[in-house]
Amino acid sequence: MIQFDKGPGAAFAKHFAALPDYDAIKEHFWYDWGPVFYRGRLDGSAKIICVASDPGPTERIAGRTLVGNAGQRVQGFLHKIGLTESYVCLNGFAYALFPSHLSQGLKLISQPEQTAWRNKLFNMLKKPPLKAVVAFGAVAQKAVQLWDNKGAVQVFETYHPSYHSGGAAGEKKMLADWNRVVTALRELITPDAGASTTLPLYGSRFAEQDYAAIPRIDLPFGLPEWFGNDAFFRKKRGMNSVSRPSPDDRHTLLWKAPKFN
């Protein structure tokens, strides 16, 4: 069966088109590449919302959220709680934020128009199956804290999948906290049909088994079969198939295909 994401329905497409204008704050973002909105189920079947910070260069190629190295870590996280399709991934910002502008981003995330637009999106996804929101990193945590209609939906705050502070000790601390969240979510969320419920928790370092490829149902039609699985690049001590080159990172992306022979 050919699987691919057919894109948002009319209600979500209309809401995405109503994204507040970033022009006045564009100095903080890779603005000219445009916005990226979501990955996963918009049909009301999501049991969990994963929220990260902002889209990276791999996300720009796909037009979908959390599909690069960080997204493959999140996909592995979802597999550990027994979810293979009943989720949706979002970001605090629809545009890619310059990492050095994080402090400004944490202020901008609470702008009234940004908050109202984002909260409406959360509300559109708040259907009976939804049990939890996981906020990965400071931007996501601030965004979810500003959602005023969470009700009984439980919120878990943890480290961003690209967290790299503190070297090996920092990674160990991060993964210990991810284990905390995975363990709690296993008690809260019913696994998807056919999903494994016995995958191991994290060790002190990320292992390849902790990653999972982005499923085709999450990606638009026409991407190469290897897209969403950067295992090849990780073996070569890389991270992503797409990068922003300096000094023209505002207008150029480098996209590398793996060599299979």
Side-chain angles (χ1 to χ4, degrees):
M1 178 181 289
I2 298 174
Q3 291 188 318
F4 59 93
D5 178 11
K6 299 174 178 61
F12 282 96
K14 182 178 180 180
H15 184 63
F16 293 153
L19 179 73
D21 188 1
Y22 275 58
D23 189 66
I25 57 174
K26 64 182 181 181
E27 64 186 285
H28 303 295
F29 300 89
W30 278 284
Y31 178 76
D32 294 339
W33 287 104
V36 177
F37 294 104
Y38 78 101
R39 172 168 72 85
R41 313 289 80 76
L42 300 177
D43 60 2
S45 65
K47 301 172 185 176
I48 188 172
I49 298 174
C50 294
V51 187
S53 174
D54 60 287
T58 312
E59 284 68 32
R60 179 62 279 163
I61 294 291
R64 296 294 183 272
T65 296
L66 282 170
V67 296
N69 190 75
Q72 291 158 48
R73 288 181 171 184
V74 169
Q75 198 66 24
F77 174 97
L78 289 167
H79 281 198
K80 289 182 189 293
I81 61 174
L83 296 184
T84 56
E85 58 180 318
S86 301
Y87 54 80
V88 64
C89 301
L90 307 173
N91 277 313
F93 289 113
Y95 285 81
L97 178 71
F98 291 122
S100 60
H101 293 219
L102 175 60
S103 60
Q104 294 95 327
L106 287 170
K107 297 175 183 177
L108 296 172
I109 199 75
S110 60
Q111 286 186 331
E113 63 273 21
Q114 296 286 344
T115 300
W117 180 89
R118 194 175 52 248
N119 284 354
K120 183 176 178 180
L121 178 57
F122 286 141
N123 290 338
M124 293 171 72
L125 293 165
K126 188 186 174 187
K127 303 299 183 183
L130 184 67
K131 302 301 180 187
V133 176
V134 180
F136 293 97
V139 169
Q141 289 161 20
K142 185 69 175 290
V144 175
Q145 289 164 9
L146 291 166
W147 183 23
D148 56 5
N149 189 34
K150 290 185 278 290
V153 176
Q154 294 194 36
V155 176
F156 297 86
E157 296 184 348
T158 190
Y159 293 91
H160 192 277
S162 295
Y163 179 80
H164 55 267
S165 180
E171 187 171 348
K172 182 178 180 179
K173 179 175 66 173
M174 168 192 172
L175 292 177
D177 199 59
W178 275 29
N179 282 337
R180 171 188 65 85
V181 178
V182 166
T183 301
L185 288 171
R186 284 175 170 176
E187 296 295 321
L188 179 65
I189 294 179
T190 302
D192 287 339
S196 173
T197 59
T198 59
L199 294 178
L201 291 174
Y202 298 96
S204 60
R205 303 295 298 270
F206 268 109
E208 188 58 38
Q209 68 180 15
D210 297 323
Y211 290 82
I214 308 302
R216 307 309 298 179
I217 197 173
D218 286 7
L219 299 171
F221 182 82
L223 287 172
E225 286 297 317
W226 50 264
F227 189 91
N229 183 0
D230 288 321
F232 174 89
F233 297 97
R234 288 189 287 270
K235 289 178 182 177
K236 303 293 184 180
R237 298 183 180 276
M239 297 298 279
N240 293 290
S241 62
V242 189
S243 61
R244 293 187 178 100
S246 179
D248 192 32
D249 59 340
R250 289 177 183 260
H251 301 100
T252 301
L253 294 180
L254 295 178
W255 188 15
K256 298 183 69 175
K259 296 178 181 179
F260 293 106
N261 52 37

